[in-house]
Coordinates of all heavy atoms in Angstrom, one line a residue:
M263 N -11.6 -6.9 -11.6 CA -11.3 -5.7 -12.4 C -10.7 -4.6 -11.5 O -11.1 -4.5 -10.4 CB -12.5 -5.1 -13.1 CG -12.8 -5.7 -14.4 SD -14.0 -4.7 -15.2 CE -13.9 -5.6 -16.8
T264 N -9.9 -3.8 -12.1 CA -9.3 -2.7 -11.3 C -10.4 -1.5 -11.2 O -11.3 -1.5 -12.0 CB -8.0 -2.1 -12.0 OG1 -8.4 -1.6 -13.3 CG2 -7.0 -3.2 -12.1
K265 N -10.1 -0.7 -10.3 CA -11.1 0.4 -10.1 C -11.1 1.4 -11.2 O -12.1 2.1 -11.4 CB -10.8 1.1 -8.8 CG -9.4 1.7 -8.7 CD -9.2 2.3 -7.3 CE -7.7 2.7 -7.2 NZ -7.4 3.2 -5.9
G266 N -10.0 1.5 -12.0 CA -9.9 2.5 -13.1 C -10.5 2.0 -14.4 O -10.8 2.8 -15.3
L267 N -10.9 0.7 -14.5 CA -11.4 0.1 -15.7 C -12.8 -0.3 -15.6 O -13.1 -1.2 -14.8 CB -10.5 -1.0 -16.2 CG -10.9 -1.8 -17.4 CD1 -10.8 -0.8 -18.6 CD2 -10.1 -3.0 -17.7
K268 N -13.7 0.3 -16.3 CA -15.1 0.0 -16.3 C -15.6 -0.3 -17.7 O -15.3 0.4 -18.6 CB -16.0 1.1 -15.7 CG -15.6 1.6 -14.3 CD -16.0 0.5 -13.3 CE -15.6 1.0 -11.9 NZ -15.7 -0.1 -10.9
L269 N -16.4 -1.4 -17.8 CA -16.9 -1.8 -19.1 C -18.4 -1.5 -19.1 O -19.2 -2.1 -18.3 CB -16.7 -3.3 -19.4 CG -17.2 -3.8 -20.7 CD1 -16.3 -3.2 -21.8 CD2 -17.0 -5.3 -20.7
N270 N -18.8 -0.4 -19.8 CA -20.3 -0.1 -19.8 C -21.0 -1.0 -20.8 O -20.5 -1.7 -21.5 CB -20.5 1.4 -20.0 CG -20.0 1.9 -21.4 OD1 -20.0 1.1 -22.4 ND2 -19.5 3.1 -21.4
R271 N -22.3 -0.9 -20.8 CA -23.2 -1.7 -21.6 C -22.9 -1.5 -23.1 O -22.9 -2.5 -23.8 CB -24.7 -1.3 -21.3 CG -25.6 -2.2 -22.0 CD -25.7 -3.5 -21.3 NE -26.7 -4.4 -21.9 CZ -26.7 -5.7 -22.0 NH1 -25.7 -6.3 -21.4 NH2 -27.6 -6.4 -22.6
Q272 N -22.7 -0.3 -23.5 CA -22.4 0.0 -24.9 C -21.1 -0.6 -25.4 O -21.0 -1.2 -26.4 CB -22.3 1.5 -25.2 CG -22.1 1.9 -26.6 CD -22.1 3.4 -26.8 OE1 -22.2 4.2 -25.8 NE2 -22.0 3.9 -28.0
Q273 N -20.1 -0.5 -24.5 CA -18.8 -1.2 -24.9 C -18.9 -2.7 -24.9 O -18.4 -3.4 -25.8 CB -17.7 -0.8 -23.8 CG -17.3 0.6 -23.9 CD -16.5 1.1 -22.7 OE1 -16.7 0.6 -21.6 NE2 -15.5 1.9 -22.9
Y274 N -19.7 -3.2 -24.0 CA -19.9 -4.7 -23.9 C -20.6 -5.2 -25.2 O -20.2 -6.2 -25.8 CB -20.8 -5.0 -22.7 CG -21.2 -6.5 -22.7 CD1 -20.3 -7.5 -22.4 CD2 -22.5 -6.9 -23.0 CE1 -20.7 -8.8 -22.3 CE2 -22.9 -8.2 -23.0 CZ -22.0 -9.2 -22.6 OH -22.4 -10.5 -22.6
K275 N -21.6 -4.4 -25.7 CA -22.3 -4.8 -26.9 C -21.4 -4.7 -28.1 O -21.4 -5.5 -29.0 CB -23.5 -3.9 -27.1 CG -24.7 -4.3 -26.2 CD -25.9 -3.4 -26.5 CE -27.1 -3.8 -25.7 NZ -28.3 -3.1 -26.0
S276 N -20.5 -3.7 -28.1 CA -19.6 -3.5 -29.2 C -18.6 -4.7 -29.2 O -18.2 -5.2 -30.3 CB -18.8 -2.2 -29.0 OG -17.8 -2.0 -29.9
V277 N -18.1 -5.1 -28.1 CA -17.2 -6.2 -28.0 C -17.8 -7.5 -28.5 O -17.2 -8.3 -29.2 CB -16.6 -6.4 -26.6 CG1 -15.9 -7.7 -26.4 CG2 -15.7 -5.2 -26.2
K278 N -19.1 -7.7 -28.2 CA -19.8 -8.9 -28.6 C -19.9 -9.0 -30.1 O -19.9 -10.1 -30.7 CB -21.2 -8.9 -28.0 CG -21.2 -9.4 -26.5 CD -22.6 -9.4 -25.9 CE -23.6 -10.1 -26.8 NZ -24.9 -10.2 -26.1
R279 N -19.9 -7.9 -30.8 CA -20.1 -7.9 -32.2 C -18.8 -7.9 -33.0 O -18.8 -7.9 -34.3 CB -20.9 -6.6 -32.6 CG -22.3 -6.7 -32.2 CD -23.1 -5.5 -32.7 NE -24.5 -5.4 -32.1 CZ -24.8 -4.6 -31.2 NH1 -24.0 -3.6 -30.9 NH2 -26.1 -4.6 -30.7
M280 N -17.7 -7.9 -32.3 CA -16.4 -7.8 -33.0 C -16.1 -9.1 -33.7 O -16.4 -10.2 -33.3 CB -15.3 -7.5 -32.0 CG -15.3 -6.1 -31.5 SD -13.9 -5.8 -30.3 CE -14.3 -4.2 -29.8
D281 N -15.4 -8.9 -34.9 CA -14.9 -10.1 -35.6 C -13.5 -10.3 -35.0 O -13.0 -9.7 -34.1 CB -14.8 -9.9 -37.1 CG -13.9 -8.7 -37.5 OD1 -13.0 -8.3 -36.7 OD2 -14.0 -8.3 -38.7
H282 N -12.8 -11.3 -35.5 CA -11.5 -11.8 -35.0 C -10.5 -10.7 -35.0 O -9.8 -10.4 -34.0 CB -11.0 -13.0 -35.8 CG -9.7 -13.6 -35.4 ND1 -9.5 -14.0 -34.1 CD2 -8.6 -13.8 -36.0 CE1 -8.3 -14.4 -34.0 NE2 -7.7 -14.3 -35.1
K283 N -10.3 -10.0 -36.1 CA -9.3 -8.9 -36.2 C -9.6 -7.8 -35.3 O -8.7 -7.2 -34.6 CB -9.2 -8.4 -37.7 CG -8.3 -7.3 -37.9 CD -6.8 -7.7 -37.6 CE -5.9 -6.6 -37.9 NZ -4.7 -6.6 -37.1
Q284 N -10.9 -7.3 -35.2 CA -11.3 -6.3 -34.3 C -11.0 -6.6 -32.8 O -10.5 -5.8 -32.0 CB -12.8 -5.9 -34.5 CG -13.1 -5.2 -35.8 CD -14.6 -5.1 -36.0 OE1 -15.3 -6.0 -35.6 NE2 -15.0 -4.1 -36.7
M285 N -11.3 -7.9 -32.5 CA -11.1 -8.3 -31.1 C -9.6 -8.4 -30.8 O -9.2 -8.0 -29.7 CB -11.7 -9.7 -30.9 CG -11.5 -10.3 -29.5 SD -12.3 -9.3 -28.2 CE -14.0 -9.8 -28.4
E286 N -8.8 -8.8 -31.8 CA -7.4 -8.8 -31.6 C -6.8 -7.4 -31.4 O -6.0 -7.2 -30.4 CB -6.7 -9.5 -32.8 CG -5.2 -9.7 -32.7 CD -4.7 -10.4 -33.9 OE1 -4.9 -11.7 -34.0 OE2 -4.1 -9.7 -34.8
D287 N -7.3 -6.5 -32.2 CA -6.8 -5.1 -32.0 C -7.3 -4.5 -30.6 O -6.5 -3.8 -30.0 CB -7.4 -4.2 -33.1 CG -6.8 -4.5 -34.5 OD1 -5.7 -5.2 -34.5 OD2 -7.4 -4.2 -35.5
F288 N -8.5 -4.8 -30.3 CA -9.1 -4.4 -29.0 C -8.2 -4.9 -27.8 O -7.8 -4.2 -26.9 CB -10.5 -4.8 -28.8 CG -11.2 -4.5 -27.5 CD1 -11.6 -3.2 -27.3 CD2 -11.3 -5.4 -26.6 CE1 -12.2 -2.9 -26.1 CE2 -11.9 -5.1 -25.4 CZ -12.3 -3.8 -25.1
I289 N -7.9 -6.2 -27.8 CA -7.1 -6.8 -26.8 C -5.7 -6.2 -26.7 O -5.2 -5.9 -25.7 CB -7.1 -8.3 -26.9 CG1 -8.5 -8.9 -26.6 CG2 -6.1 -9.0 -26.0 CD1 -8.7 -10.3 -26.9
C290 N -5.1 -6.0 -27.9 CA -3.8 -5.5 -28.0 C -3.7 -4.1 -27.4 O -2.8 -3.7 -26.6 CB -3.2 -5.4 -29.4 SG -2.7 -7.0 -30.0
N291 N -4.7 -3.3 -27.7 CA -4.8 -1.9 -27.1 C -5.0 -1.9 -25.6 O -4.4 -1.1 -24.9 CB -6.0 -1.1 -27.8 CG -5.7 -0.7 -29.2 OD1 -4.5 -0.6 -29.6 ND2 -6.7 -0.5 -30.0
M292 N -5.9 -2.8 -25.1 CA -6.1 -2.9 -23.7 C -4.8 -3.3 -23.0 O -4.4 -2.8 -22.0 CB -7.2 -4.0 -23.4 CG -8.5 -3.6 -23.8 SD -9.2 -2.3 -22.8 CE -9.6 -3.2 -21.4
Y293 N -4.1 -4.3 -23.6 CA -2.8 -4.7 -23.0 C -1.8 -3.6 -23.0 O -1.1 -3.4 -22.0 CB -2.2 -5.9 -23.8 CG -0.9 -6.3 -23.4 CD1 -0.7 -7.1 -22.3 CD2 0.3 -5.8 -24.0 CE1 0.6 -7.5 -21.8 CE2 1.5 -6.2 -23.6 CZ 1.7 -7.0 -22.5 OH 2.9 -7.3 -22.1
N294 N -1.6 -2.9 -24.1 CA -0.7 -1.8 -24.2 C -1.0 -0.7 -23.2 O -0.1 -0.1 -22.6 CB -0.6 -1.3 -25.6 CG 0.1 -2.2 -26.5 OD1 0.9 -3.1 -26.1 ND2 -0.2 -2.2 -27.8
E295 N -2.3 -0.4 -23.0 CA -2.6 0.6 -22.0 C -2.3 0.2 -20.6 O -1.8 0.9 -19.8 CB -4.1 1.0 -22.1 CG -4.5 1.7 -23.4 CD -6.0 2.0 -23.5 OE1 -6.7 1.8 -22.5 OE2 -6.4 2.3 -24.7
G296 N -2.6 -1.1 -20.3 CA -2.3 -1.6 -19.0 C -0.8 -1.7 -18.7 O -0.3 -1.4 -17.6
Y297 N 0.0 -2.1 -19.8 CA 1.4 -2.1 -19.7 C 2.0 -0.7 -19.4 O 2.8 -0.6 -18.5 CB 2.0 -2.7 -20.9 CG 3.5 -2.9 -20.9 CD1 4.1 -3.9 -20.3 CD2 4.3 -1.9 -21.4 CE1 5.5 -4.1 -20.2 CE2 5.7 -2.0 -21.4 CZ 6.3 -3.1 -20.8 OH 7.6 -3.2 -20.7
A298 N 1.5 0.3 -20.1 CA 2.0 1.6 -19.9 C 1.7 2.1 -18.5 O 2.5 2.7 -17.9 CB 1.4 2.5 -21.0
D299 N 0.5 1.8 -18.0 CA 0.1 2.2 -16.7 C 0.9 1.5 -15.6 O 1.4 2.1 -14.7 CB -1.4 1.9 -16.4 CG -2.4 2.8 -17.2 OD1 -1.9 3.8 -17.7 OD2 -3.5 2.5 -17.2
G300 N 1.2 0.2 -15.8 CA 2.0 -0.5 -14.9 C 3.4 0.0 -14.9 O 4.1 0.1 -13.8
K301 N 4.0 0.3 -16.1 CA 5.3 0.7 -16.2 C 5.5 2.1 -15.5 O 6.5 2.3 -14.7 CB 5.7 0.9 -17.6 CG 7.2 1.1 -17.8 CD 7.6 1.1 -19.3 CE 9.0 1.4 -19.5 NZ 9.4 1.3 -20.9
A302 N 4.5 3.0 -15.6 CA 4.6 4.3 -15.0 C 4.5 4.1 -13.5 O 5.2 4.9 -12.7 CB 3.4 5.2 -15.5
A303 N 3.7 3.2 -13.0 CA 3.5 3.0 -11.6 C 4.8 2.3 -10.9 O 5.0 2.5 -9.8 CB 2.3 2.1 -11.3
A304 N 5.5 1.6 -11.8 CA 6.7 0.9 -11.2 C 8.0 1.7 -11.3 O 9.0 1.2 -10.9 CB 6.8 -0.4 -12.0
E305 N 7.9 2.8 -11.9 CA 9.2 3.6 -12.0 C 9.7 3.9 -10.6 O 9.0 4.1 -9.7 CB 8.9 4.9 -12.8 CG 8.7 4.7 -14.3 CD 8.5 6.0 -15.0 OE1 8.6 7.1 -14.5 OE2 8.2 5.9 -16.2
P306 N 11.1 3.9 -10.5 CA 11.7 4.1 -9.2 C 11.3 5.5 -8.7 O 11.3 6.5 -9.4 CB 13.2 4.0 -9.5 CG 13.3 4.1 -10.9 CD 12.0 3.8 -11.6
K307 N 11.0 5.5 -7.4 CA 10.6 6.7 -6.7 C 11.9 7.4 -6.2 O 11.9 8.6 -5.9 CB 9.7 6.4 -5.5 CG 8.5 5.6 -5.9 CD 7.5 6.4 -6.7 CE 6.3 5.6 -6.9 NZ 5.8 5.4 -8.3
I308 N 13.0 6.7 -6.0 CA 14.2 7.3 -5.5 C 15.2 7.5 -6.7 O 15.4 6.7 -7.5 CB 14.9 6.3 -4.5 CG1 14.0 6.1 -3.3 CG2 16.3 6.9 -4.1 CD1 14.5 5.0 -2.4
K309 N 15.6 8.7 -6.8 CA 16.5 9.1 -7.9 C 18.0 9.0 -7.4 O 18.3 9.1 -6.2 CB 16.2 10.6 -8.3 CG 14.8 10.8 -8.8 CD 14.6 12.2 -9.2 CE 13.3 12.6 -8.7 NZ 13.0 13.5 -7.7
P310 N 18.9 8.9 -8.3 CA 20.3 8.8 -8.0 C 20.8 10.0 -7.2 O 21.6 10.0 -6.3 CB 21.1 8.7 -9.3 CG 20.1 8.1 -10.2 CD 18.8 8.6 -9.8
S311 N 20.2 11.2 -7.5 CA 20.6 12.4 -6.8 C 20.2 12.3 -5.3 O 20.9 12.9 -4.4 CB 19.9 13.6 -7.4 OG 18.6 13.5 -7.4
D312 N 19.1 11.7 -5.0 CA 18.7 11.4 -3.6 C 19.7 10.6 -2.9 O 20.0 10.8 -1.7 CB 17.3 10.8 -3.5 CG 16.2 11.6 -4.2 OD1 16.3 12.9 -4.2 OD2 15.2 11.0 -4.6
I313 N 20.1 9.5 -3.5 CA 21.1 8.7 -2.9 C 22.4 9.4 -2.7 O 23.0 9.3 -1.6 CB 21.4 7.4 -3.8 CG1 20.1 6.6 -3.9 CG2 22.5 6.6 -3.3 CD1 20.2 5.5 -5.0
A314 N 22.9 10.2 -3.6 CA 24.1 11.0 -3.5 C 24.0 11.9 -2.3 O 25.0 12.0 -1.5 CB 24.4 11.8 -4.7
S315 N 22.9 12.6 -2.1 CA 22.8 13.5 -1.0 C 22.8 12.8 0.4 O 23.4 13.3 1.3 CB 21.6 14.4 -1.1 OG 20.4 13.6 -1.0
V316 N 22.3 11.6 0.4 CA 22.3 10.8 1.7 C 23.7 10.3 2.0 O 24.2 10.2 3.1 CB 21.3 9.7 1.6 CG1 21.4 8.8 2.8 CG2 19.9 10.3 1.6
L317 N 24.4 9.9 0.9 CA 25.8 9.3 1.1 C 26.7 10.3 1.7 O 27.5 10.0 2.6 CB 26.4 8.9 -0.2 CG 25.9 7.5 -0.8 CD1 26.5 7.3 -2.2 CD2 26.3 6.4 0.2
I318 N 26.6 11.6 1.3 CA 27.5 12.6 1.8 C 27.3 12.8 3.3 O 28.3 13.2 4.0 CB 27.3 13.9 1.0 CG1 27.6 13.7 -0.4 CG2 28.1 15.1 1.6 CD1 29.0 13.4 -0.8
E319 N 26.1 12.6 3.8 CA 25.8 12.7 5.2 C 26.4 11.6 6.1 O 26.4 11.8 7.3 CB 24.3 12.9 5.4 CG 23.7 14.1 4.7 CD 22.2 14.1 4.8 OE1 21.6 13.2 5.4 OE2 21.6 15.0 4.2
I320 N 26.8 10.5 5.5 CA 27.2 9.4 6.3 C 28.7 9.6 6.8 O 29.5 9.9 5.9 CB 27.1 8.1 5.5 CG1 25.7 7.8 5.2 CG2 27.7 6.9 6.3 CD1 25.5 6.6 4.3
K321 N 28.9 9.5 8.1 CA 30.2 9.7 8.6 C 31.1 8.6 8.1 O 30.8 7.4 8.1 CB 30.1 9.6 10.2 CG 31.5 9.9 10.8 CD 31.3 9.9 12.3 CE 32.7 10.1 12.9 NZ 32.6 10.2 14.4
G322 N 32.3 9.0 7.6 CA 33.3 8.0 7.1 C 33.3 7.9 5.6 O 34.2 7.3 5.1
I323 N 32.3 8.5 5.0 CA 32.3 8.4 3.5 C 32.6 9.8 3.0 O 31.8 10.8 3.2 CB 30.9 7.9 3.0 CG1 30.6 6.5 3.4 CG2 30.9 8.0 1.4 CD1 29.4 5.9 2.9
G324 N 33.7 9.9 2.3 CA 34.1 11.2 1.8 C 33.6 11.4 0.4 O 32.9 10.5 -0.2
T325 N 34.0 12.5 -0.2 CA 33.5 12.8 -1.6 C 34.0 11.8 -2.6 O 33.2 11.4 -3.5 CB 33.8 14.2 -2.0 OG1 35.2 14.4 -1.9 CG2 33.1 15.2 -1.1
K326 N 35.2 11.3 -2.4 CA 35.8 10.4 -3.4 C 35.1 9.0 -3.3 O 34.7 8.5 -4.4 CB 37.3 10.2 -3.1 CG 38.0 9.3 -4.1 CD 39.5 9.3 -3.9 CE 40.1 8.4 -4.9 NZ 41.5 8.2 -4.7
K327 N 34.8 8.5 -2.1 CA 34.1 7.3 -2.0 C 32.7 7.4 -2.4 O 32.1 6.5 -3.1 CB 34.2 6.8 -0.5 CG 33.6 5.4 -0.3 CD 34.2 4.3 -1.2 CE 35.5 3.8 -0.6 NZ 36.1 2.7 -1.4
A328 N 32.1 8.5 -2.1 CA 30.7 8.7 -2.5 C 30.6 8.8 -4.1 O 29.6 8.2 -4.6 CB 30.1 10.0 -2.0
A329 N 31.6 9.3 -4.7 CA 31.6 9.4 -6.2 C 31.7 8.0 -6.8 O 31.1 7.7 -7.8 CB 32.7 10.3 -6.7
E330 N 32.5 7.1 -6.1 CA 32.7 5.8 -6.6 C 31.4 5.0 -6.5 O 31.0 4.3 -7.4 CB 33.8 5.0 -5.8 CG 35.2 5.5 -6.1 CD 36.2 4.9 -5.2 OE1 35.9 3.8 -4.6 OE2 37.4 5.4 -5.1
I331 N 30.7 5.2 -5.3 CA 29.5 4.5 -5.1 C 28.4 5.0 -6.1 O 27.7 4.2 -6.7 CB 29.0 4.7 -3.6 CG1 30.0 4.0 -2.7 CG2 27.6 4.2 -3.4 CD1 29.7 4.4 -1.2
M332 N 28.4 6.3 -6.3 CA 27.4 6.8 -7.3 C 27.7 6.4 -8.7 O 26.7 6.2 -9.4 CB 27.4 8.4 -7.2 CG 26.7 8.9 -5.9 SD 25.1 8.1 -5.6 CE 24.2 8.5 -7.0
A333 N 28.9 6.1 -9.0 CA 29.2 5.6 -10.4 C 28.6 4.2 -10.5 O 28.0 3.9 -11.5 CB 30.7 5.5 -10.6
A334 N 28.7 3.4 -9.5 CA 28.1 2.1 -9.5 C 26.6 2.2 -9.5 O 25.9 1.4 -10.2 CB 28.6 1.3 -8.3
V335 N 26.0 3.0 -8.7 CA 24.5 3.2 -8.7 C 24.0 3.7 -10.0 O 23.0 3.2 -10.5 CB 24.1 4.2 -7.6 CG1 22.7 4.6 -7.7 CG2 24.4 3.6 -6.2
N336 N 24.7 4.6 -10.7 CA 24.3 5.1 -12.0 C 24.3 4.0 -13.0 O 23.5 4.0 -13.9 CB 25.2 6.3 -12.4 CG 24.8 7.6 -11.6 OD1 23.7 7.8 -11.2 ND2 25.8 8.4 -11.4
K337 N 25.3 3.1 -12.9 CA 25.3 2.0 -13.9 C 24.1 1.1 -13.7 O 23.5 0.7 -14.7 CB 26.6 1.2 -13.7 CG 27.8 1.7 -14.2 CD 29.0 0.8 -14.0 CE 30.3 1.5 -14.4 NZ 31.5 0.7 -14.1
L338 N 23.7 0.9 -12.5 CA 22.5 0.1 -12.2 C 21.2 0.8 -12.8 O 20.4 0.1 -13.4 CB 22.3 -0.1 -10.7 CG 23.2 -1.1 -10.1 CD1 23.0 -1.1 -8.5 CD2 23.0 -2.5 -10.6
Y339 N 21.1 2.1 -12.6 CA 20.0 2.8 -13.1 C 20.0 2.8 -14.6 O 18.9 2.7 -15.2 CB 20.0 4.3 -12.6 CG 19.2 4.4 -11.3 CD1 19.9 4.2 -10.1 CD2 17.9 4.8 -11.3 CE1 19.2 4.4 -8.9 CE2 17.2 4.9 -10.1 CZ 17.9 4.7 -8.9 OH 17.2 4.9 -7.7
E340 N 21.1 2.9 -15.3 CA 21.2 2.8 -16.7 C 20.8 1.5 -17.2 O 20.1 1.4 -18.2 CB 22.6 3.2 -17.2 CG 23.0 4.7 -17.0 CD 24.4 4.9 -17.3 OE1 25.2 4.0 -17.7 OE2 24.9 6.1 -17.0
R341 N 21.2 0.4 -16.6 CA 20.9 -0.9 -17.0 C 19.4 -1.1 -16.8 O 18.8 -1.8 -17.6 CB 21.6 -2.0 -16.1 CG 22.6 -2.7 -16.9 CD 23.1 -3.9 -16.1 NE 24.3 -3.4 -15.3 CZ 24.7 -4.1 -14.2 NH1 24.1 -5.1 -13.8 NH2 25.8 -3.6 -13.6
G342 N 18.8 -0.5 -15.8 CA 17.3 -0.7 -15.6 C 16.5 0.0 -16.6 O 15.3 -0.4 -16.9
T343 N 17.0 1.0 -17.4 CA 16.2 1.7 -18.3 C 16.4 1.1 -19.7 O 15.7 1.5 -20.7 CB 16.6 3.2 -18.4 OG1 18.0 3.3 -18.7 CG2 16.3 3.9 -17.1
E344 N 17.2 0.1 -19.9 CA 17.4 -0.5 -21.2 C 16.3 -1.4 -21.5 O 15.6 -2.0 -20.8 CB 18.7 -1.2 -21.3 CG 19.9 -0.3 -21.2 CD 21.3 -1.0 -21.2 OE1 21.3 -2.3 -21.0 OE2 22.3 -0.4 -21.3

């Protein structure tokens, strides 16, 4: 079990008494909460604006080339959010 999820005695007894539909709803809710937590933890830490600022600092890359690169990077970020 993860450190953030604890099942206390009262919850355990409640789970033991659940019928099929209640258990299905309970499991779906647990899954959705875990999925949301995982998705939030997996979001990219680097933003396109961070990449753009670093590109400008590289010798030999001008504003035009940096704009082309950023267009490609932005497409990747857009595809990732679909």
Side-chain angles (χ1 to χ4, degrees):
M263 270 194 176
T264 62
K265 59 184 172 184
L267 178 63
K268 300 290 181 190
L269 183 67
N270 62 32
R271 185 79 178 147
Q272 183 180 4
Q273 291 168 326
Y274 174 73
K275 286 182 178 184
S276 174
V277 168
K278 282 179 51 175
R279 292 187 187 107
M280 289 181 182
D281 64 17
H282 180 55
K283 178 65 176 150
Q284 290 170 326
M285 180 62 76
E286 188 177 280
D287 292 342
F288 176 76
I289 291 171
C290 285
N291 287 337
M292 292 287 286
Y293 173 83
N294 289 334
E295 288 176 19
Y297 181 82
D299 289 347
K301 189 174 180 180
E305 288 183 4
K307 307 290 187 234
I308 299 173
K309 298 178 223 114
S311 59
D312 298 333
I313 296 170
S315 64
V316 171
L317 281 176
I318 299 297
E319 296 173 4
I320 297 174
K321 184 178 178 180
I323 296 182
T325 55
K326 185 175 179 181
K327 186 55 83 175
E330 291 175 18
I331 294 170
M332 286 312 302
V335 169
N336 287 330
K337 284 182 187 177
L338 287 174
Y339 271 87
E340 289 171 6
R341 252 192 267 159
T343 58
E344 292 175 352

